[in-house]
Amino acid sequence: MCAVHPSTRRSRPTVARSSSTRPTSRDVAQAAGVSQAAVSLVLGDKWRGRVSETTAERVREAARTLGYRPNLAARNLRLGSTRTVLLVVPALTTEFFAGVYTGAARVAAAHGFGVVLYPSPEGVGPARDPFASAEAALDGVIASSMAADALTAIRGDQLPLVMLDSDPHGSLGAATVNLDIADGVRQVAEHLLGLGHRHVLHLAADIPSWTFRARARELADRLAAVPGTRLRTATAPITIDDARAATEAALTAPGPRPTAVVCDDDKLAAGAYKALRRLGLRVPDDISVTGLDDLALATAIDPELTTVRLDAELFGERGMEALLAVLDGRAPIDGDIPVQLVVRGSTGPARGA
């Protein structure tokens, strides 16, 4: 426990300094009635178990009142830390990854870290290597499995690394944080099977990543466990036009027509809607459609989309918390993040069921 000045009995900090000078940690210590060491611990978020919650709040209040900001450049030089984390995502234009960033940045800010966002798609993102030395500029990296190429390009795998949406048994990272995607697909399959669907089209994302392979494998396993089911797969990039074209091609191919389309993403589902309308088919009377993500798009289309809700902000929060744990030498929280099937108007009983 750090030594505390006798004046800690005061309920509120007393502020007395010249308005012409920049406040220092000594000013904060005097205002809060504590030592400078206690100020350093509290503002460096290292106070737990060393000063009381009441003392920590008094220090924070004194710092706010004085307008004190630590000299981060000097602190970082002294500690060999930049307090900066890189978040590597596939695209900035995706609503889901905007949520991931929001959650990660919220937790980072609470611990005095900043988050730099790096989008990775070829031809869309910035220069391949935005850092003269990633190891000198960053304390750690959080990366999606879909952004592995960019991660290698900036040598982010040489830093403390947390992988999102990645195979926990083959991850490059010191920790892996996943949504329970397999359970989401199980919920979709059970919902459709319960409605009598036995012939399913899987509109799969044309992206070679662990998360999409896991979705395909789980859907195939769940349907194979029920006698009389058939599964057909069509692949498409995650764009509405590509999804429309792939769906049209699959539904006009020879053979019995599926009664349900399971999509890897809500954007793919929107493309499937367009294809079905062009073919004169109704959702869900002729064909049921499901998505995955629960983007704003899911309630903008008609009928509203049955989909799996993924909590993107919580995903980002857990990713940042895992990286902070790695940096502190602690074990990150274990267990996948739960997901939830949201049933709306795009699914109904299979025709003839």
Side-chain angles (χ1 to χ4, degrees), residues 127-202:
R128 293 295 295 173
D129 188 353
F131 304 102
S133 171
E135 292 180 73
L138 303 167
D139 282 345
V141 178
I142 304 171
S144 161
S145 64
M146 289 187 285
D149 290 344
L151 182 64
T152 303
I154 63 170
R155 298 187 62 77
D157 52 351
Q158 306 300 309
L159 289 158
L161 171 65
V162 169
M163 294 296 296
L164 306 179
D165 236 3
S166 301
D167 184 353
H169 304 296
S171 173
L172 296 170
T176 303
V177 177
N178 282 323
L179 295 152
D180 198 346
I181 291 294
D183 183 58
V185 175
R186 281 194 292 272
Q187 292 179 52
V188 168
E190 289 170 4
H191 173 63
L192 292 175
L193 290 168
L195 292 170
H197 293 278
R198 295 296 182 270
H199 189 185
V200 174
L201 170 65
H202 179 202

Side-chain angles (χ1 to χ4, degrees), residues 15-91:
V15 178
R17 77 173 177 84
S18 169
S19 60
S20 62
T21 60
R22 178 175 176 173
T24 66
S25 62
R26 178 176 296 178
D27 295 325
V28 176
Q30 290 177 345
V34 300
S35 67
Q36 282 184 263
V39 172
S40 178
L41 286 172
V42 172
L43 299 185
D45 200 34
K46 300 289 186 181
W47 59 272
R48 292 172 181 81
R50 305 175 77 173
V51 301
S52 70
E53 176 74 49
T54 301
T55 299
E57 179 53 35
R58 189 164 61 252
V59 170
R60 288 191 290 264
E61 184 181 353
R64 286 193 297 268
T65 302
L66 289 166
Y68 172 73
R69 295 290 184 274
N71 186 335
L72 293 180
R75 181 182 184 278
N76 293 341
L77 182 62
R78 183 173 68 254
L79 299 180
S81 168
T82 66
R83 310 292 285 184
T84 302
V85 169
L86 187 70
L87 175 62
V88 186
V89 299

